[in-house]
Amino acid sequence: MAEKQRFIQQAAQKAADAAHFARLQFNLGRYQQALHRGKSRWQQLEQARRIAEARKQEALAQLPELLETFERRFTANGGEVRWARTAEEARRIVIRLMKEEGARTVVKGKSMVSEELHLNETLEAAGCEVWETDLGEFIVQLAGEKPYHIVTPAMHKSKEDVAALFARKLGLPENLTPQQLTMAARRILRRRFRTADAGITGANFIVPDVGGILLLENEGNIRLSTALPPLHIAIVGIEKVIPRLHDLALLLPLLATYGTGQRITNYNTLLTGPRRAGEKGGPRRMVVILLDNGRSTLYHTRPQSDALRCIRCGACLAVCPVYQTVGGHTYGTAYSGPIGSVISPFYEGFCDHAHISHASSLCGACTDICPVRIPLHELLLENRHRAAHTCATPLPERLAWRLWQWLMRHPEWLERVPHAARRLSLRLVGRMGWQPERAPLEPAPASFRRWWKKRRPS
Ligand code: SF4
């Protein structure tokens, strides 16, 4: 309930923040133009989406077997695999690995799974120094914030905001250009790559037939985070598996198109294990942590399990009118927007986060845009349905709905409810679910039945 109240308050605050809205519209507008250009390069985009959906569905149908194949092959390549059932277990594994290697400093590639685990806080509490190395992540870390968007974490900041932040936190001159800001971050991070004890990343895909994980990025920071430190830990959700290496021929350009409008992401790195004899680069030790943390429950929950097809392109966030209004932080979960509202309750506590499935107009724009054809708005309805059956509802609300249900079944009694009482009940409904900015609900002067009785042709 506390989380729901926080959401409602923050949503109202963001909805009234004109500067925030303008910034978001500007950045989302630029993304939508890039997406439009990217989509126009495809000759048979609909067919590509159908095939991508089928490939991901095929992988999910054989999830246990494919994960075991990955484990076998990756281990044969010299890597190590750990299985984590919960977020707590994953955090414990990371801290144990850091201790085993005597590691204190970490360079991180952008990883939403590490956000899901609140890993930075855990590492810092264990005395480690953590450096986010993706530029957007570096910015939000410096600002003491969480990522705002699953692809572009600092989307809510203007270049002036970033310049002021760098001046405040890094002692740089004010009014630097975006190029100068980027070069400043680069200079700071280069030193960290060279001296870090460990690199921590996520992965975009698990490729079982070669026993590898695939990481996509545009900045080269993931390559440095995985190649220079002696220890590389990759934390990956179990749903990231694909059937075979050659499926990437479709999935890579599709993800690049929907993620940023690019033909292909700048760096596509397939890692199949630690440094081998005779190789000059790469970590001495590479460990992949396969994370469940609610994914098995989601896997066994139909039809919400369709959401496990997600390739984290972020397109559904950009088209969602609710996300466009309240922004990413309001959701209070690692994953925001329509996909976040479907999966986060399974990963972060269903009843504590069930309210975000109501953060949708159910317009279906998210479903229309999704490259792997996840019926997001229908899954949001399914979550609402599940919440109604599994989560406790406050007694007054339960009684109000019971009364409403009874009246709907007995329209003859509904007729007898006086106009003043109707008005009062609508006011109460308004207080329960309507934002104060919305016009109060008013009953019609006469019910439809009465109106019809007078006009019905005899
Ligand atoms: S649900 Fe679909 S549109 Fe949204 S992030 Fe995932 S793949 Fe992209």
Side-chain angles (χ1 to χ4, degrees):
M1 188 52 86
E3 203 23 55
K4 181 176 172 183
Q5 285 313 325
R6 187 208 56 76
F7 177 88
I8 292 171
Q9 273 166 16
Q10 194 165 339
Q13 200 185 327
K14 286 292 174 198
D17 183 343
H20 169 262
F21 185 72
R23 251 186 333 264
L24 207 54
Q25 287 300 310
F26 176 75
N27 286 326
L28 289 174
R30 280 167 51 134
Y31 162 76
Q32 274 160 358
Q33 284 168 11
L35 174 63
H36 181 72
R37 276 196 304 276
K39 282 164 70 176
S40 67
R41 294 191 199 108
W42 290 74
Q43 285 177 354
Q44 293 175 315
L45 185 56
E46 278 319 296
Q47 199 183 343
R49 288 175 71 204
R50 279 178 202 284
I51 296 171
E53 174 193 5
R55 293 293 175 266
K56 281 294 291 178
Q57 207 56 44
E58 182 189 342
L60 291 172
Q62 318 164 50
L63 189 64
E65 297 82 4
L66 290 174
L67 289 173
E68 281 169 15
T69 305
F70 165 75
E71 182 181 29
R72 220 174 29 253
R73 302 217 163 126
F74 184 67
T75 310
N77 294 340
E80 297 168 47
V81 173
R82 302 277 189 280
W83 299 75
R85 255 171 312 185
T86 62
E88 185 47 44
E89 218 172 297
R91 288 190 287 263
R92 271 206 305 271
I93 295 171
V94 173
I95 297 299
R96 204 181 312 132
L97 288 167
M98 296 287 291
K99 284 195 176 142
E100 279 170 18
E101 294 298 315
R104 311 286 296 176
T105 51
V106 179
V107 279
K108 275 185 72 223
K110 193 171 89 58
S111 152
M112 291 313 294
V113 161
S114 80
E115 296 299 330
E116 184 185 328
L117 301 179
H118 304 285
L119 192 61
N120 288 9
E121 292 85 335
T122 308
L123 286 164
E124 281 161 5
C128 298
E129 189 183 310
V130 185
W131 290 88
E132 292 288 352
T133 63
D134 170 272
L135 183 57
E137 290 278 353
F138 180 75
I139 292 167
V140 289
Q141 186 187 28
L142 217 52
E145 295 174 8
K146 293 283 179 190
Y148 194 82
H149 184 277
I150 59 178
V151 177
T152 41
M155 171 182 269
H156 58 306
K157 296 206 180 293
S158 65
K159 59 181 189 296
E160 291 78 16
D161 293 338
V162 178
L165 177 72
F166 277 32
R168 212 168 53 246
K169 296 282 180 153
L170 303 174
L172 295 172
E174 286 183 14
N175 304 325
L176 292 184
T177 63
Q179 287 78 4
Q180 289 168 323
L181 293 166
T182 307
M183 291 315 288
R186 189 174 188 263
R187 269 195 305 277
I188 293 168
L189 291 173
R190 284 278 150 155
R191 285 203 301 273
R192 313 295 164 196
F193 289 124
R194 280 200 300 270
T195 55
D197 302 316
I200 298 184
T201 66
N204 296 84
F205 298 104
I206 299 171
V207 193
D209 48 345
V210 295
I213 54 170
L214 192 102
L215 298 104
L216 307 179
E217 53 161 338
N218 279 320
E219 298 172 17
N221 61 304
I222 289 186
R223 283 206 171 163
L224 292 169
S225 303
T226 56
L228 296 180
L231 170 67
H232 173 204
I233 304 171
I235 313 166
V236 194
I238 53 174
E239 80 285 12
K240 292 291 182 81
V241 75
I242 56 168
R244 321 154 267 275
L245 182 67
H246 79 233
D247 294 318
L248 292 172
L250 170 64
L251 290 169
L252 293 189
L254 198 66
L255 176 51
T257 299
Y258 281 84
T260 51
Q262 289 169 278
R263 281 192 171 84
I264 189 101
T265 312
N266 291 350
Y267 300 94
N268 301 262
T269 310
L270 180 65
L271 297 172
T272 54
R275 179 195 309 192
R276 289 171 204 162
E279 286 179 347
K280 290 207 176 92
R284 263 192 304 100
R285 189 175 180 192
M286 181 177 172
V287 185
V288 173
I289 302 174
L290 293 173
L291 178 71
D292 185 322
N293 195 33
R295 286 159 175 83
S296 291
T297 309
L298 180 54
Y299 185 76
H300 292 292
T301 308
R302 293 288 309 149
Q304 285 96 318
S305 54
D306 283 350
L308 291 168
R309 289 204 298 270
C310 175
I311 54 173
R312 304 279 189 274
C313 70
C316 58
L317 280 63
V319 296
C320 173
V322 174
Y323 184 92
Q324 288 174 5
T325 308
V326 304
H329 287 155
T330 303
Y331 291 79
T333 48
Y335 308 97
S336 54
I339 183 62
S341 300
V342 176
I343 62 176
S344 300
F346 288 89
Y347 299 174
E348 301 191 31
F350 196 88
C351 292
D352 285 345
H353 296 95
H355 59 277
I356 55 176
S357 56
H358 292 267
S360 167
S361 63
L362 300 179
C363 62
C366 48
T367 298
D368 291 345
I369 196 95
C370 177
V372 283
R373 296 168 38 88
I374 301 171
L376 286 155
H377 72 292
E378 288 169 20
L379 303 189
L380 289 170
L381 274 177
E382 292 292 339
N383 270 9
R384 293 182 193 183
H385 188 239
R386 183 180 156 98
H389 284 87
T390 56
C391 304
T393 312
L395 185 65
E397 192 177 332
R398 261 201 330 268
L399 290 176
W401 287 119
R402 279 276 155 79
L403 178 64
W404 180 83
Q405 186 185 39
W406 188 85
L407 282 171
M408 289 298 118
R409 286 190 178 147
H410 301 85
E412 67 284 6
W413 280 94
L414 190 61
E415 283 300 297
R416 294 182 202 177
V417 178
H419 188 78
R422 286 169 190 236
R423 181 180 230 167
L424 181 67
S425 60
L426 281 177
R427 285 277 149 85
L428 285 175
V429 170
R431 281 176 69 99
M432 273 158 51
W434 247 234
Q435 293 293 314
E437 299 81 28
R438 297 174 85 165
L441 297 165
E442 285 293 337
S447 75
F448 174 76
R449 283 166 178 276
R450 269 190 216 150
W451 179 88
W452 180 243
K453 254 186 215 158
K454 282 191 198 151
R455 285 165 182 76
R456 184 167 45 193
S458 44

